[in-house]
Amino acid sequence: MRILLVALLALLLGAQPAFAQQDLGPDYVQTQFGPMGPAGRDLLQKVALAGLWEGPAGRMGLEKSADPKVQEAGRHLIDGHADLDRRTAVLARTFGVQLPTRPSEAQQGWLDEMAAAPARSPEFDRVFANRLRAAHGGVYKFLASVRTGTRNTAIRDYAKVCMDTVLDHMTVLEATGMVDFSDTEAIPLALVAQPSSIAPTTPGQAVQQSPQYSQRQSQDDGDIPDGALGLGVLALVVAGLWFWTSGRSSRRPHP
């Protein structure tokens, strides 16, 4: 019996590493912070790309605007992206990600538009506030999607810092009073206030869930894989058998 118990324990201990790491495919590499995949690499590159034009745009806000609120927004952009640039460079070296070194064509076009606007004019302030606010709105949604799905703790923490920085920039840009929220192409209307087209469920109605959703929900509750749960039950059974056989041996009369 004890030989059988020892064999079961060895099987249990040997099976644990199989659940420690999951093969997510050739696009992922395992790191000390968790799996690093395309979304994490894309995040580092996009934040670096944002800094290549938003930092210079912030400096233009300080130099070309006569509005104290626009100048304040410029300072936030400069300081925020200086901090993000440092963090991005460190993580890029850690994960071996190559970063862009120049703005995209669209970003350079926005900088050229700001440069062409007359200094200390309402035109410059409007271009500054609206181009930057629209860009930050798109970036914020992207950051949220990466933060929600990544299993890499370093990327998760980094995405949180980026989201805080972008939200700060959106706030100071909106505080200028220059953002045109009627431009729904650049800043889409939120749908949370729209009436729902789904009929309300009556008290007697049962809600049916798809098998895929039920399986995903059962996995999300406690985030315990079925295999790990089975190993835990096996461990308890083995431990119980061990103590039971040990107790019987100790109660046997000795000659």
Side-chain angles (χ1 to χ4, degrees), residues 128-164:
F128 175 91
N130 283 281
R131 295 292 179 267
L132 285 162
R133 171 57 179 82
H136 279 79
V139 169
Y140 192 83
K141 290 187 291 184
F142 169 71
L143 292 170
S145 67
V146 176
R147 170 62 181 81
T148 301
T150 184
R151 303 183 187 183
N152 187 292
T153 57
I155 293 297
R156 194 155 56 229
D157 294 341
Y158 171 74
K160 171 64 167 56
V161 173
C162 293
M163 290 175 69
D164 291 342

Side-chain angles (χ1 to χ4, degrees), residues 160-176:
K160 171 64 167 56
V161 173
C162 293
M163 290 175 69
D164 291 342
T165 302
V166 171
L167 184 58
D168 171 71
H169 292 175
M170 291 170 64
T171 302
V172 293
L173 288 165
E174 292 162 359
T176 63

